[in-house]
Structures are given as C-alpha cells and as structure tokens.
C-alpha cells in the first residue's frame, strides 16, 4: 500500500515536536560562512533559502563542497544566494513515500521541500523517507507474524 506524504508529514511533525527540531533557513544575502556554521551547529545537511518568506533555494553540503570548497571561493565573502541550488524539485503532500524515494534516487537529491499551493509545508530528507518505509515494513511483518502465529507481537 502506498503511503501519502501527508501521513509522513503528520508523523514527522509529531517526531519534530518530541525532538524539538525545526526547519532551518536563511536569506540569500547571508554569508556562506554563517550558513555553514548554522548547518554544523544544528547538525543538518541543508538550509532552506527564503526570500520574503518564499522558498527560493536550498544551500546544502553539496553546495559547500562544489561551489565553495572546490572552486576555492572564500566562505566569508560568498553570499548563499550566489552558490545555492535554485533548480528545486518540490513535492506535493499527495505524493506517496515510494514516489518520493524514486524521485530522490532519479534526481540524486537528498532533500525534498514539501510545497502545496506555493506554501512551504515542510522538508523531508531521504533518511526520513527510508526510516518511514522501514518502520512501515516492520509493522507489516509484525502483523503477518501475528496472523500466522495467532499472537500479539510488538513492533
């Protein structure tokens, strides 16, 4: 059974509330060095780049490696907007988890902004999606074991 991202978003919101996690963002005019420090301190792989509340890009570890480190650009002098990824692939919450995983693989991306009617709803990583699929499969296995053995098995 395919699971819509809306279900994942609801579960992620619950997890985020427990962990105190949040979406991390900055503006395109921020120095790359500040964005790198924020990512490091928060232990996240990317920052959403917002301009007047609208999603305009993502600044990821890959951007740091490719644009800043590989090109030898000084992180203090470079603005995030100059090196961020602007060719964004966003997903609607109606997309299934399986479809989202296929898109991550085909597009070689690790972060999917979830957008509906131009409104940013959240950010899912490939790790979030894989974790959800594994938990879902574990539940399926437990239910099958219960059916076969006629006993209640905890997941």
């Amino acid at each position: 059974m395919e699971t819509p991202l809306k279900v994942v978003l609801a579960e992620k919101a619950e997890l985020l509330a427990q962990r105190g996690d949040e979406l991390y963002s900055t503006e395109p005019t921020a120095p790359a060095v500040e964005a790198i420090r924020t990512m490091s301190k928060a232990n996240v792989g990317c920052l959403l780049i917002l301009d007047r509340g609208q999603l305009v890009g993502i600044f990821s570890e890959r951007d740091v490696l490719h644009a800043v480190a590989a090109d030898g650009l000084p992180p203090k002098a470079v603005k995030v907007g100059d090196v961020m990824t602007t060719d964004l692939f966003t997903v609607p919450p109606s997309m299934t988890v399986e479809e989202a995983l296929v898109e991550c693989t085909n597009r070689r991306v690790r972060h999917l902004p979830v957008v509906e009617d131009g409104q940013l709803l959240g950010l899912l990583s490939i790790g979030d999606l894989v974790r959800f699929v594994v938990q879902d499969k574990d539940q399926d296995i437990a239910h099958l074991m219960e059916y076969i053995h006629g006993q209640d098995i905890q997941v």
Side-chain angles (χ1 to χ4, degrees), residues 72-86:
L73 301 174
K76 289 182 180 180
V78 174
K79 301 292 182 207
V80 170
D82 296 333
V83 294
M84 69 183 178
T85 300
T86 56

Side-chain angles (χ1 to χ4, degrees), residues 17-92:
Q18 292 172 0
R19 292 187 336 200
D21 245 353
E22 61 184 62
L23 291 177
Y24 292 92
S25 65
T26 192
E27 297 176 347
T29 56
V33 69
E34 286 181 18
I36 293 166
R37 284 185 186 132
T38 300
M39 289 166 57
S40 179
K41 185 175 181 182
N43 196 29
V44 295
C46 75
L47 295 179
L48 296 170
I49 309 305
L50 305 175
D51 189 13
R52 293 182 276 263
Q54 293 298 308
L55 180 65
V56 295
I58 289 181
F59 182 70
S60 69
E61 294 164 327
R62 284 185 181 166
D63 295 319
V64 173
L65 289 174
H66 295 292
V68 178
D71 291 345
L73 301 174
K76 289 182 180 180
V78 174
K79 301 292 182 207
V80 170
D82 296 333
V83 294
M84 69 183 178
T85 300
T86 56
D87 185 21
L88 296 179
F89 177 72
T90 63
V91 296

Side-chain angles (χ1 to χ4, degrees), residues 23 25 48-50 53-55 90 112-123:
L23 291 177
S25 65
L48 296 170
I49 309 305
L50 305 175
Q54 293 298 308
L55 180 65
T90 63
L112 295 174
V114 182
V115 176
E116 186 171 47
D117 298 325
Q119 187 73 20
L120 177 65
L121 302 178
L123 179 71

Side-chain angles (χ1 to χ4, degrees), residues 98-112:
E98 291 80 6
E99 290 169 337
L101 278 169
V102 167
E103 291 296 342
C104 282
T105 302
N106 290 344
R107 294 172 185 273
R108 300 183 48 87
V109 297
R110 292 181 271 170
H111 304 96
L112 295 174

